[in-house]
Amino acid sequence: MFYNILVIDDDRKTASYMADMLRLSGHTVTVALGPRSALYNLKQVIPDVVFLDLNMPGVDGFEVCRYLRRDPATASIPIVIVSANSEQGYKDAASAAGANAYLVKPAMIEDLTNALIQVVKMPIRSK
C-alpha cells in the first residue's frame, strides 16, 4: 500500500531527507516547512499520515499535534513524531499530545517504514 504523507519540519534539509526516503518506498509526500505551511497544506489535502518535528520556532510540534487532534477533519490521522530529543519526557509529552509513534533523528528509511506500518491500521489506497 502507498500513502499520502505530510512531513512537517522547519529544517529544509531534514524535511527533504525524510520526504526522499518515503518517496523511495513509493509514497506521495508533501513537505511543509513549519506549522503555517502545514496548516495551508492541510486545507488543500488531508494526508493519510503526518511525520512531525517537535522543535520548531513559534508553534512547536506538541501544539501542532494537539491542534490536529482537536480538528474533526484531522483527528484520526496517524501522527509520527520525528525529533532530535530522545528523552523519555519528550516521548511521554508527544503521546499525551496525541502522537501515535516517536522516532529519534536521524531516522533511517527502515525506521520511517516501520513507524508507518505501526501507525497505519488498514490500507488507505493503492498506487
Side-chain angles (χ1 to χ4, degrees):
M1 289 290 135
F2 300 101
Y3 300 98
N4 180 18
I5 299 171
L6 177 60
V7 172
I8 307 170
D9 196 310
D10 64 313
D11 183 275
R12 186 178 304 276
K13 191 174 185 178
T14 302
S16 292
Y17 168 79
M18 278 195 296
D20 289 346
M21 293 299 104
L22 292 163
R23 285 184 188 117
L24 282 173
S25 297
H27 306 290
T28 301
V29 182
T30 302
V31 172
L33 296 174
R36 284 190 177 150
S37 177
L39 293 177
Y40 173 79
N41 280 292
L42 287 165
K43 290 180 191 292
Q44 309 306 310
V45 176
I46 300 295
D48 300 317
V49 180
V50 171
F51 283 79
L52 174 63
D53 182 32
L54 287 181
N55 295 323
M56 296 183 287
V59 178
D60 66 18
F62 294 115
E63 187 55 38
V64 172
C65 192
R66 286 188 288 269
Y67 173 83
L68 293 173
R69 289 296 176 240
R70 285 190 305 263
D71 185 341
T74 59
S76 63
I77 297 172
I79 300 170
V80 178
I81 299 296
V82 186
S83 176
N85 298 306
S86 61
E87 295 85 14
Q88 188 61 45
Y90 281 91
K91 294 175 184 178
D92 293 341
S95 180
N100 301 89
Y102 193 104
L103 296 176
V104 177
K105 291 180 184 176
M108 301 292 116
I109 191 167
E110 297 83 13
D111 302 322
L112 297 170
T113 301
N114 289 337
L116 184 60
I117 291 167
Q118 174 190 340
V119 300
V120 177
K121 304 294 186 218
M122 64 180 66
I124 303 295
R125 62 180 174 85
S126 295
K127 198 170 194 179

